[in-house]
Amino acid sequence: MAEAARRAFAEAGLLDATRVHVPEQARELCHDLVVQLWAATVSGAIARHRRDGGGREAIAALGEEFSWHVGDGLRTYPLIVPDPVPTLAARGIAEWCWRRESDVEEWHFKIDDITMARANIAATRAVIPHVHPEGVDWLAVRLVLMVPTRRLADGQALADILEEAWAPVLASIHRQIDLWPRADETLGPEAVLRMLTLHGSRTESVGEWWGRAGTRPQPAMPSPAQRATALCPPW
């Protein structure tokens, strides 16, 4: 029943991470609140998984770039609570492993904005079935994101669009996905789900490339996602 309700809410676009608005007169307390939110959610999940108190060192071992990008959500306002929301975590995976940290941006000149938005939505749709409340099936995520015949809403295959760029983009996606099973092992599936939810909620490109308001107002002109989804339902 709970899973059916979750899916119904997701289809209606009603699932989101909790956002906290701090009164103007208390803004100086934001940093303390962020620390407490992280401790109560992500750090708590890591502690339950590791039982050795080494959460900070475990995150550091995954690399400075990983730590910086994971922390991006903590520098966002309104404050985002790292709730474990599978649909948002799926968007975080698509944004991190396909759109932002892969080499696809270097080949953006081969893909117009509408097609890029469709590719982002297609990647998220492909990932969603493999992200669950108990964690992420990383083998399945790897398979669906690396299938050359994966098609967009207009029927085009990514490999055909990217042509000679498909191989380097694929290799970079492979490298990014490699990082997350390691994080699962060292930090625990719950902590990873919370981190990815945070990333999928705050990422700077969500508003324009996924058709969600994210953490800033929508631009006056239609975004690429809005133009793309005018021809297909949003994921």
Side-chain angles (χ1 to χ4, degrees):
M1 178 65 73
E3 177 63 13
R6 186 192 69 78
R7 291 190 179 278
F9 286 139
E11 290 173 3
L14 298 177
L15 286 187
D16 206 346
T18 304
R19 286 176 169 79
V20 179
H21 294 261
V22 181
E24 191 67 37
Q25 61 270 27
R27 286 291 175 86
E28 68 275 9
L29 301 176
C30 276
H31 177 267
D32 293 341
L33 182 55
V34 164
V35 170
Q36 291 180 28
L37 287 174
W38 183 265
T41 56
V42 178
S43 292
I46 295 172
R48 288 190 292 275
H49 176 73
R50 294 183 60 87
R51 302 181 183 278
D52 63 359
R56 186 184 299 270
E57 294 76 11
I59 292 176
L62 292 168
E64 184 177 343
E65 189 172 352
F66 177 86
S67 300
W68 175 260
H69 285 308
V70 163
D72 278 346
L74 302 176
R75 296 182 283 273
T76 296
Y77 188 83
L79 308 181
I80 302 172
V81 180
D83 299 317
V85 183
T87 49
L88 294 182
R91 193 168 67 212
I93 292 169
E95 206 278 345
W96 185 302
C97 297
W98 151 254
R99 179 68 181 92
R100 187 59 56 189
E101 301 304 321
S102 77
D103 291 349
V104 72
E105 184 62 26
E106 298 177 20
W107 298 91
H108 195 344
F109 66 90
K110 295 180 71 68
I111 307 178
D112 61 59
D113 285 352
I114 293 178
T115 303
M116 180 64 80
R118 286 176 177 150
N120 297 339
I121 294 169
T124 308
R125 281 174 163 167
V127 169
I128 283 176
H130 310 296
V131 183
H132 312 286
E134 63 271 19
V136 181
D137 182 345
W138 287 108
L139 177 59
V141 167
R142 186 187 300 275
L143 289 174
V144 298
L145 286 183
M146 300 181 74
V147 172
T149 56
R150 181 158 54 91
R151 295 188 178 277
L152 310 187
D154 61 359
Q156 296 185 87
L158 272 176
D160 294 339
I161 298 169
L162 288 168
E163 299 176 321
E164 75 279 8
W166 178 245
V169 166
L170 201 62
S172 67
I173 294 171
H174 192 75
R175 289 194 303 271
Q176 292 305 319
I177 295 175
D178 281 346
L179 178 65
W180 287 100
R182 288 172 48 208
D184 244 19
E185 183 177 347
T186 58
L187 307 177
E190 180 190 345
V192 164
L193 191 66
R194 289 178 180 274
M195 289 177 173
L196 287 167
T197 297
L198 188 65
H199 190 73
S201 299
R202 61 70 44 201
T203 180
E204 62 198 29
S205 65
V206 161
E208 295 180 2
W209 295 106
W210 269 261
R212 294 292 298 273
T215 57
R216 61 180 181 177
Q218 287 289 322
M221 294 295 291
S223 70
Q226 288 171 326
R227 285 179 277 153
T229 55
L231 301 177
C232 67
W235 63 265

